């Protein structure tokens, strides 16, 4: 559902000067003086759906978009608490990890961590084996990144020798990668204060994705950077540094997807989207078109991903990972890159945008496969203060029952977590 304002702007016969004046009034004046009218013009609703679950003066956030911050009973939410919000964390900075009690919206700190970033925090996640009372996060100890398991009292239950990036849906395994290498080649996703043993190597054979047994703690390398660099190499890969990012298991855990990246030029990189079995077997390149961005699994065989098509132009593509074929998804409705996630019942797609020219991000739902779009909110995200690698993306994520959505946002002046009740549409 969209309001009157977007339709007026899209009118082909609207004179340019009228369009400019209309934008100046709506985005420059009404947003601050008449927020209800502003929401009605954009969304056809005057009510404010964004409800805060954390408050200042400290800053609070969850992190990435591919997992739910709610526990099984949806009475608690995982969160980070930081003392600052205007710079990247250094090796000396700690972040508090804890839980928000949703009955009174009270944040309870449970532990500190020195392995974190603004994009993904400490990789906080509820443990799939006990999503009611047990969670995991990463920390830095003796100069190394480690994975920690705690219960909701804060008691440490286990410490793994490798940091945890993604957990298998059954809670028996996890996957790890080199966060020190990420800190070098993709600042904002790695951890400060950790040495990379292979920093001088372009594609080390001993570095890559490690499979971690969450019961014994044992780990093994299942996909190496050298293996990926030698697989159908491109001329642009020669003499370049390679790294990995964005591991995500499929809903049933039969496969994982991940990005293989390599340096191109001063600030650019190349990327391929791969999938494989949990142990690295059946390694397949799902997409190699020069540009691949955010994705989510629809089922065990299909990914929804924003990427460049082989025939040109970027779109959301529904990719069959078995053969690399794809079809355009949400044509004319989902028109720009965002953090896309399927609802638990796979009937809805949640997505957001980067800031537009008015420094506003839009949060939306898309019914699937009908293709009806519902804009939920617009949130101010000022580039001047919160951009670059300290930016605050909305990173929308679903509640476990698919009736609520949680985001991180700075639209009220500090980084906080907000919830929207979507049950009127998604129940």
């Amino acid at each position: 559902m969209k309001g009157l304002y977007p339709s007026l702007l899209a009118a082909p016969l609207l004179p340019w000067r009228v369009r400019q004046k209309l934008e100046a009034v709506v985005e420059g004046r009404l947003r601050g003086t008449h927020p209800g009218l502003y929401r009605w013009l954009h969304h056809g609703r005057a009510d404010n759906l964004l409800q805060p679950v954390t408050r200042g003066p400290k800053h609070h956030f969850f992190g990435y978009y591919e997992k739910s911050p709610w526990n099984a009973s949806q009475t608690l939410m995982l969160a980070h608490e930081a003392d600052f919000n205007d710079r990247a964390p250094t090796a000396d900075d700690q972040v508090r990890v804890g839980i928000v009690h949703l009955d009174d919206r009270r944040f309870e700190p449970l532990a500190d961590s020195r392995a974190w970033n603004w994009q993904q925090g400490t990789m906080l996640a509820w443990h799939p084996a006990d999503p009611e009372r047990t969670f995991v996060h990463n920390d830095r100890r003796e100069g190394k990144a480690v994975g920690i398991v705690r219960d909701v009292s804060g008691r440490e239950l286990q410490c793994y020798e490798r940091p945890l990036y993604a957990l298998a849906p059954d809670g028996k395994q996890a996957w790890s990668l080199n966060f020190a290498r990420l800190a070098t080649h993709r600042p904002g996703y790695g951890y400060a204060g950790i040495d990379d043993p292979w920093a001088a190597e372009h594609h080390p054979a001993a570095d890559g994705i490690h499979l971690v047994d969450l019961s014994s703690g044992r780990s093994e390398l299942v996909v190496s950077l050298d293996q990926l660099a030698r697989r159908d190499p491109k001329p642009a890969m020669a003499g370049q540094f390679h790294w990995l990012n964005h591991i995500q298991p499929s809903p049933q855990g039969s496969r994982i997807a991940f990005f293989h990246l390599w340096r191109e030029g001063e600030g650019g990189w190349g990327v391929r989207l791969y999938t494989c079995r949990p142990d690295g077997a059946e390694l397949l390149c799902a997409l190699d078109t020069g540009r691949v961005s955010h994705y989510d699994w629809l089922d065990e065989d299909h990914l929804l991903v924003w990427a460049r098509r082989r025939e040109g132009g970027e779109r959301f593509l529904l990719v069959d990972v078995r053969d690399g074929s794809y079809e355009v998804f949400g044509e004319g409705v989902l028109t720009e890159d965002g953090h896309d996630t399927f609802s638990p019942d796979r009937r809805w797609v949640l997505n957001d945008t980067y800031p537009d020219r008015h420094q506003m991000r839009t949060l939306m739902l898309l019914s699937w496969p009908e293709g009806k779009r519902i804009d939920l909110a617009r949130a101010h995200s000022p580039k001047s203060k919160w951009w670059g690698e300290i930016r605050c993306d909305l990173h929308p994520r679903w509640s476990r029952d698919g009736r609520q959505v949680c985001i991180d946002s700075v639209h009220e002046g500090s980084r906080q977590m907000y919830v929207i009740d979507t049950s009127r549409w998604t129940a």
Side-chain angles (χ1 to χ4, degrees):
M1 178 187 300
K2 288 188 177 183
L4 176 64
Y5 174 67
S7 300
L8 286 174
L9 288 184
L13 299 181
L14 188 70
W16 176 84
R17 290 184 181 276
V18 175
R19 182 180 290 107
Q20 291 292 99
K21 183 64 175 179
L22 180 61
E23 285 192 87
V25 171
V26 174
E27 302 293 347
R29 186 185 309 167
L30 292 185
R31 182 173 63 83
T33 59
H34 296 81
L37 177 58
Y38 178 84
R39 289 189 290 268
W40 180 82
L41 286 170
H42 269 285
H43 311 313
R45 303 179 310 273
D47 54 328
N48 182 14
L49 301 184
L50 287 171
Q51 299 301 312
V53 294
T54 60
R55 62 179 69 90
K58 305 294 186 182
H59 302 275
H60 302 89
F61 68 106
F62 176 69
Y64 225 41
Y65 69 98
E66 83 284 20
K67 50 186 175 285
S68 178
W70 279 270
N71 69 340
S73 64
Q74 300 192 159
T75 57
L76 303 172
M77 295 180 76
L78 292 172
H80 302 88
E81 182 181 76
D83 295 330
F84 60 92
N85 189 44
D86 56 355
R87 59 178 174 82
T90 69
D92 296 325
D93 290 315
Q94 293 186 344
V95 71
R96 288 172 287 279
V97 298
I99 51 178
V100 178
H101 297 264
L102 293 176
D103 55 352
D104 58 3
R105 301 187 177 185
R106 170 177 52 90
F107 175 77
E108 179 185 0
L110 299 176
D112 294 324
S113 172
R114 292 191 299 158
W116 65 289
N117 54 61
W118 290 118
Q119 282 290 299
Q120 298 177 320
T122 63
M123 303 304 291
L124 262 177
W126 292 102
H127 200 304
D130 179 18
E132 178 65 17
R133 298 187 54 82
T134 306
F135 65 95
V136 303
H137 68 90
N138 291 331
D139 197 359
R140 192 177 87 241
R141 297 181 180 179
E142 298 179 355
K144 297 181 179 180
V146 296
I148 305 296
V149 181
R150 296 184 187 276
D151 63 22
V152 292
S153 72
R155 180 168 58 103
E156 183 175 315
L157 304 178
Q158 196 158 359
C159 176
Y160 299 103
E161 64 178 11
R162 295 188 182 279
L164 305 179
Y165 193 99
L167 306 175
D170 61 7
K172 295 180 179 180
Q173 298 173 317
W175 295 271
S176 177
L177 51 70
N178 188 340
F179 282 90
R181 199 171 186 90
L182 270 179
T184 299
H185 297 289
R186 190 66 172 99
Y189 292 81
Y191 300 149
I194 302 170
D195 292 330
D196 179 5
W198 305 282
E201 297 185 43
H202 290 138
H203 40 85
D207 190 18
I209 297 177
H210 284 80
L211 178 64
V212 181
D213 185 297
L214 293 178
S215 177
S216 67
R218 290 190 297 269
S219 64
E220 61 174 323
L221 183 68
V222 294
V223 179
S224 77
L225 284 173
D226 188 63
Q227 173 186 5
L228 294 168
R230 296 179 184 278
R231 187 183 178 96
D232 190 20
K234 295 175 176 286
M237 293 181 180
Q240 299 297 324
F241 287 96
H242 296 242
W243 69 97
L244 298 164
N245 205 358
H246 300 312
I247 306 169
Q248 186 179 340
S250 58
Q252 301 302 317
S254 66
R255 301 189 72 84
I256 62 169
F258 63 91
F259 288 169
H260 165 221
L261 305 106
W262 57 91
R263 182 66 58 200
E264 287 187 354
E266 291 296 323
W269 59 81
V271 59
R272 285 171 171 168
L273 175 62
Y274 276 95
T275 72
C276 64
R277 293 295 182 185
D279 61 358
E282 297 181 22
L283 182 65
L284 299 172
C285 183
L287 211 54
D288 180 15
T289 56
R291 161 75 171 159
V292 183
S293 188
H294 307 99
Y295 71 87
D296 189 33
W297 288 92
L298 169 62
D299 52 35
E300 299 305 290
D301 298 318
H302 297 89
L303 288 165
L304 178 60
V305 56
W306 179 267
R308 182 177 299 145
R309 298 181 300 170
R310 298 183 186 96
E311 56 270 36
E314 295 184 12
R315 300 287 193 280
F316 270 111
L317 306 176
L318 193 60
V319 181
D320 189 322
V321 302
R322 295 167 296 188
D323 59 14
S325 62
Y326 57 76
E327 59 184 79
V328 175
F329 184 97
E331 180 73 10
V333 183
L334 296 181
T335 57
E336 57 185 293
D337 187 12
H339 303 92
D340 57 305
T341 51
F342 285 99
S343 59
D345 62 7
R346 290 331 197 233
R347 292 176 49 238
W348 297 86
V349 175
L350 180 63
N351 195 46
D352 63 350
T353 68
Y354 287 106
D356 61 18
R357 63 181 178 275
H358 305 294
Q359 302 186 54
M360 300 293 289
R361 299 174 185 264
T362 299
L363 180 69
M364 69 199 74
L365 285 173
L366 179 75
S367 61
W368 185 79
E370 295 85 359
K372 179 183 177 181
R373 172 171 160 172
I374 300 168
D375 285 1
L376 300 174
R378 279 170 62 80
H380 189 221
S381 183
K383 291 184 180 182
S384 60
K385 191 172 182 180
W386 290 291
W387 198 237
E389 298 302 344
I390 62 169
R391 68 186 185 273
C392 184
D393 294 336
L394 300 184
H395 287 155
R397 48 258 167 183
W398 289 96
S399 62
R400 294 178 182 269
D401 61 5
R403 297 168 65 94
Q404 299 178 82
V405 168
C406 174
I407 66 168
D408 301 330
S409 182
V410 293
H411 68 274
E412 293 186 309
S414 63
R415 190 180 299 241
Q416 303 297 339
M417 296 168 61
Y418 297 81
V419 165
I420 290 180
D421 184 343
T422 61
S423 60
R424 72 180 78 175
W425 301 289
T426 60

